[in-house]
Amino acid sequence: MFKDWSLPAVTAGFLAVLISYSGPLAIFFQAAQSADVSPAMMTSWVWAISMGAAISGIVLSAWLKMPVVTAWSAPGTALLVTLFPGLSLNEAVGAYLTAALIILAIGISGSFDRLMSVIPRGIAAGMMAGILFQFGLGAFQAIEGTPLLAVGMLLAYLVFKRLAPRYCLILLLVTGAGLAVGLEGASLDGVRWQLASPVFIAPEWTWHATLSLALPLVLVSLTGQFLPGMAILRGAGYPASARSIISVTSLTSMVVAFFGGITTAIAAITAAICTGKDAHENPDKRYVAGIANGLFYLIGGCFAGSIVALFTALPGAFVAVLAGLALIGAISANIMTAIEAEDHREASVITFMVTASGLSLFGLGAAFWGVVIGCVAYALLHRRYRKRQVHCQESHGK
C-alpha cells in the first residue's frame, strides 16, 4: 500500500477535509446555536462527525481499493436548525440511531443498488454537474467581494496548472493561505491546540423525533448524499457496491450517534476532488486519497476545537475559490458525459438545469428533483427512440 502513496493524493484528501470543515460545518454552528448547546458539546459533535468520517473512509478505501470519501449528512444537519430547541439532544440521538438502522436495512437488502441501475448514465452525470456547478460559480462570484484574493488565486491556479499540473492544488492551497493572511488580514492568533473530550448523550426515542427527524434524515441522506456520491464513484469508473458502503457508514453512524454525531454518509461534493486525475493519474492508486482524507478527519476529530477555530479564521472567499477551482475537472467530466449521452441528451441537460437551479420542494433538494424530472423527461422523450435504435441495430445485424 505504501508504494501507492503520492503527494497529489494526500493533497486531494486534505482539500476534501478542508472544504468540509469550512463549508458544511457552518450548518452545525447554526444548529448548535438553535439548541443553545455549550462549547464542550459542540466540540463533541465535531469530534463525533469527524471520527465517523475518518473510520468509515479509511476502512472502505483500504478495503475496496477506491477513493471512498465519507462525511456527515449536511442536508440532515440543516433539518436540525428548524427542529431545535423543540427537540432535545437525547431525542436527536434516538432519531440518529433509528435513521442509521433504516439506512442499514436499505443497504443490506440491495434496494439502493437496484435504484442506481435504472438511472441512465447521462442523467446521473447531469445531476452531478448541476451540484458541482454551484461551487464552480462560487469561485468567480467571490471576485466581487474580495477581488485581490480571488483574482490572485485564479491567476495562481492557471500558472500552476500549466507549469506543475500534478501539484497544482497543493500549490494553490499554500498560495491562497498566504494571500488570505497578507491581503485579507486573516489571523491565526486565536487558534490553540487542545485535545477534544467527547460527551456521551443517552438516546431517547419518541414518535415526534422519529417522524420529524429520523425519517426525513433517511430521505435526505439517500437522495442528497448517497445518490450523488455513488454517481460520482461510478462515473469515475469505480464499480462501487452501495451495499458495502451503506453498511459500513450505517454501522459507524450508530457508534458516533451517542456523542452527537449525525448520520455518516458517502460524500458528494468533496468526493469529486479525490476521484479525478488531480488526485493521481492512475485510477488504481486514487484510493490513497480516500485513506488520506480519513486520516486528516482523524486528526481533525482529536483536535476538534482547535481545527474549528483554524478553519473559521480563514475568509469564506478563500474556501469558495479553492473549492470551485478544485472541482473544474469534475464539472467538465460530468458535463461531457451528459452531452455525450446521445440517446437521452435532452433529458440529461434538463437534469443538469434542474439541479443547478437549487430547487427545494417539500423538504427535498435539487439533486433529488433533478433525477426525478430528468427520468420523467427520459421516459417521455427518449425511451421510444432508444427502443427504435435497438430494433434497427438488431435488424442490421440480421
Side-chain angles (χ1 to χ4, degrees):
M1 180 184 297
F2 294 105
K3 69 181 186 328
D4 293 338
W5 283 70
S6 65
L7 185 58
V10 173
T11 302
F14 177 73
L15 283 177
V17 173
L18 172 68
I19 292 168
S20 293
Y21 277 140
S22 304
L25 194 63
I27 305 175
F28 252 85
F29 285 113
Q30 294 177 342
Q33 292 174 352
S34 300
D36 194 25
V37 302
S38 64
M41 183 61 71
M42 179 60 188
T43 298
S44 181
W45 285 11
V46 177
W47 177 90
I49 60 176
S50 300
M51 289 300 174
I55 295 170
S56 58
I58 292 173
V59 169
L60 286 168
S61 296
W63 174 28
L64 302 176
K65 287 294 186 291
M66 59 182 68
V68 182
V69 176
T70 57
W72 59 94
S73 176
T77 307
L79 292 172
L80 297 177
V81 179
T82 62
L83 294 175
F84 286 141
L87 196 72
S88 70
L89 294 181
N90 306 86
E91 288 178 304
V93 171
Y96 295 164
L97 292 171
T98 301
L101 283 170
I102 295 174
I103 295 174
L104 177 62
I106 292 173
I108 292 176
S109 67
S111 302
F112 190 84
D113 279 321
R114 288 193 291 271
L115 173 63
M116 286 292 295
S117 66
V118 300
I119 299 177
R121 179 179 174 85
I123 289 179
M127 174 192 65
M128 280 316 308
I131 294 174
L132 301 176
F133 188 67
Q134 297 296 327
F135 287 81
L137 289 179
F140 300 97
Q141 291 170 343
I143 295 177
E144 183 177 359
T146 53
L148 293 179
L149 174 62
V151 172
M153 290 182 67
L154 176 59
L155 291 175
Y157 171 81
L158 296 175
V159 172
F160 297 145
K161 194 69 175 179
R162 177 62 184 269
L163 300 180
R166 190 173 184 182
Y167 304 100
C168 175
L169 294 183
I170 190 170
L171 293 173
L172 178 63
L173 172 65
V174 174
T175 303
L179 291 174
V181 173
L183 299 178
E184 299 299 323
S187 174
L188 305 180
D189 294 338
V191 179
R192 299 288 184 274
W193 290 107
Q194 183 177 358
L195 288 173
S197 300
V199 179
F200 180 82
I201 306 172
E204 179 182 346
W205 283 272
T206 64
W207 282 111
H208 168 63
T210 300
L211 296 176
S212 61
L213 178 56
L215 295 183
L217 180 57
V218 171
L219 192 57
V220 299
S221 296
L222 290 176
T223 61
Q225 290 203 240
F226 281 108
L227 183 61
M230 292 301 299
I232 285 179
L233 276 176
R234 293 181 180 180
Y238 296 102
S241 168
R243 178 174 296 176
S244 302
I245 293 175
I246 292 179
S247 297
V248 171
T249 53
S250 298
L251 291 172
T252 306
S253 297
M254 293 179 192
V255 177
V256 300
F258 291 102
F259 303 96
I262 199 168
T263 302
T264 302
I266 186 172
I269 305 303
T270 53
I273 297 175
C274 297
T275 57
K277 290 184 178 181
D278 287 331
H280 203 286
E281 289 293 331
N282 186 350
D284 294 335
K285 296 184 178 182
R286 293 174 193 165
Y287 74 95
V288 171
I291 297 177
N293 179 262
L295 291 175
F296 283 117
Y297 268 128
L298 193 63
I299 297 172
C302 292
F303 299 96
S306 303
I307 215 73
V308 169
L310 172 64
F311 287 121
T312 53
L314 296 171
F318 166 79
V319 178
V321 176
L322 183 63
L325 296 179
L327 289 169
I328 286 179
I331 295 171
S332 303
N334 281 282
I335 289 178
M336 287 300 298
T337 301
I339 296 299
E340 289 172 355
E342 183 180 353
D343 61 337
H344 56 279
R345 180 178 296 157
E346 190 166 358
S348 301
V349 173
I350 289 174
T351 302
F352 166 73
M353 291 168 55
V354 173
T355 308
S357 71
L359 171 68
S360 179
L361 191 63
F362 304 121
L364 300 174
F368 173 80
W369 290 116
V371 172
V372 170
I373 296 175
C375 286
V376 171
Y378 172 80
L380 295 177
L381 297 176
H382 304 295
R383 179 167 291 180
R384 184 177 301 175
Y385 166 78
R386 187 172 183 178
K387 288 181 178 179
R388 185 168 64 248
Q389 187 181 48
V390 171
H391 176 72
C392 290
Q393 290 173 349
E394 290 175 350
S395 300
H396 180 72
K398 292 178 181 179

